[in-house]
Every structure is written in structure tokens, then in C-alpha cells.
Amino acid sequence: LWLGVCKILIDNGWIDRDFTAEQTDAPVLVRSDDGRFLRDSDLRDGGDPEQFYVTDASSGELVQLPKGTLERACDYALEAQRRVRLKDGREVEVRSVFTRLRERLADYTPDKVHEMAGVHPTTLARIAELCRPPRKIFGYMNFIAGKLYHGDLLERSYCYVLALTGNLGRAGTGTQGWSPGTEAAASMTAVGGMPKQL
């Protein structure tokens, strides 16, 4: 369901591009041969293994991702695919995390989501529209989702929606889970810990 929502959001351009580029790893380049982030140590002897790269949307050039700040060094390209020469002389294809996500979401059409999750395409479209920026969204994952087989993947796919729409780090946004424990024994209500709208 949530991957289908992500597909609709991206296909319709209903994402917060600035937030996604600045606050997530979406523009970071990933090697196609091993699925790892492209690192400075891949490109030159003595290179920093913790230095990653993005593509400048204006020039198409490789740019080092700043370390120590989320402030952008340039206009990061969310959609990026190119070839780079490694220090051993081989060329490999690299793609941004966003490009890889978009490719992964190609299978989550409304009809496929209907078949897999039982959610009608019209309902799926309505959910996606309700998540469209600038609307604030908050997800409450109750104690069931995390206990399901692959429930962590369900929660992770919902977090993609939050990341794509800029719904993290602001009042009234984000997600919260609840697994009954001490707070249940102490009769604390689950909703008492939910963020307040400001």
C-alpha cells in the first residue's frame, strides 16, 4: 500500500523536492555493481571512505556531499544516472538513491497494489492525495504492525512517504509506534504521547 502511495506521489510530482534533496539520502550516488554508496576511496588512492557524492543538477558534475552539515553544496539532482571511472580504471554505472527508489516502485501500480493489498485503486489515489504536500501527515503505528512478519518493512515504506513529502522534524509530522509494556501496565494512554499540533 505505502509503496503504491510513494509511486503516485513521485509520478505526480507531489513531493517536497527541497526537503528530499537536503534531508534524505535520495540524491546520493550508488554503485550499480555492488549496491554501495560511491565513495572517494573508490575514485582515488588514499580517498576518504566516508566521503559520498551527488550530482549537480545544473552542471551534471560529481560533487562531494558535505560532511558535518545538511546544507547543500549545490542544487542536487534527485534523478541521476551516469558512469564513473574508478581508481582501478574500470567504469561503473552509478544512480541516485531516488532513481533506484523510482525504479523499485515501478511494480507498485494501483492495480498491482489492489491485487497484493486489497486496496482499490481509487482509495489508493485518495490516500496519496491526502499525503500531498503541503499537508502535514503523522503516522501512528500501533502495537500490531511491528509484530507482523515483515512489519518492519511496512513501517519503513510508510517512512518513505514521510521523507518524500517533508513530513519529518516539524510539529504535527512524523511517526510514532507503541509496543505495550510498562506504560500499558501503568494505564498510560497511547495517544497521550502523540505530538501536539502547533
Side-chain angles (χ1 to χ4, degrees), residues 122-145:
T122 305
T123 304
L124 188 70
R126 180 67 180 134
I127 293 169
E129 191 173 345
L130 288 170
C131 294
R132 179 182 181 177
R135 178 185 290 268
K136 286 185 179 183
I137 56 175
F138 173 83
Y140 176 70
M141 301 292 180
N142 66 21
F143 61 93
I144 299 297

Side-chain angles (χ1 to χ4, degrees), residues 11-186:
D11 287 352
N12 288 314
W14 294 347
I15 64 172
D16 184 333
R17 293 189 80 82
D18 287 334
F19 181 91
T20 303
E22 184 179 85
Q23 300 291 320
T24 77
D25 65 357
V28 181
L29 296 173
V30 178
R31 293 173 51 160
S32 294
D33 61 337
D34 63 10
R36 296 181 55 154
F37 288 137
L38 178 67
R39 301 161 190 269
D40 191 40
S41 56
D42 296 332
L43 302 177
R44 62 186 182 90
D45 288 328
D48 185 349
E50 295 181 3
Q51 178 61 67
F52 306 124
Y53 286 86
V54 296
T55 300
D56 184 333
S58 301
S59 69
E61 297 296 317
L62 283 181
V63 174
Q64 291 186 341
L65 190 66
K67 293 169 70 174
T69 180
L70 291 177
E71 188 173 331
R72 288 184 279 180
C74 62
D75 181 17
Y76 297 163
L78 285 179
E79 293 277 0
Q81 182 172 353
R82 60 180 300 139
R83 296 192 70 76
V84 297
R85 186 172 303 280
L86 303 179
K87 64 185 176 187
D88 63 7
R90 290 183 303 128
E91 279 197 0
V92 297
E93 179 188 62
V94 292
R95 295 172 297 169
S96 66
V97 171
F98 185 85
T99 298
R100 290 170 53 100
L101 175 62
R102 188 173 202 147
E103 291 167 359
R104 179 71 175 93
L105 294 175
D107 294 335
Y108 292 90
T109 63
D111 288 337
K112 186 66 173 179
V113 171
H114 186 217
E115 178 185 320
M116 294 171 69
V119 178
H120 193 275
T122 305
T123 304
L124 188 70
R126 180 67 180 134
I127 293 169
E129 191 173 345
L130 288 170
C131 294
R132 179 182 181 177
R135 178 185 290 268
K136 286 185 179 183
I137 56 175
F138 173 83
Y140 176 70
M141 301 292 180
N142 66 21
F143 61 93
I144 299 297
K147 297 189 181 308
L148 296 173
Y149 184 62
H150 292 314
D152 61 323
L153 299 179
L154 179 154
E155 292 175 345
R156 195 175 296 178
S157 9
Y158 177 70
C159 288
Y160 280 132
V161 174
L162 298 175
L164 290 169
T165 58
N167 277 291
L168 293 165
R170 296 181 300 148
T173 68
T175 183
Q176 179 179 341
W178 183 61
S179 183
T182 307
E183 67 275 10

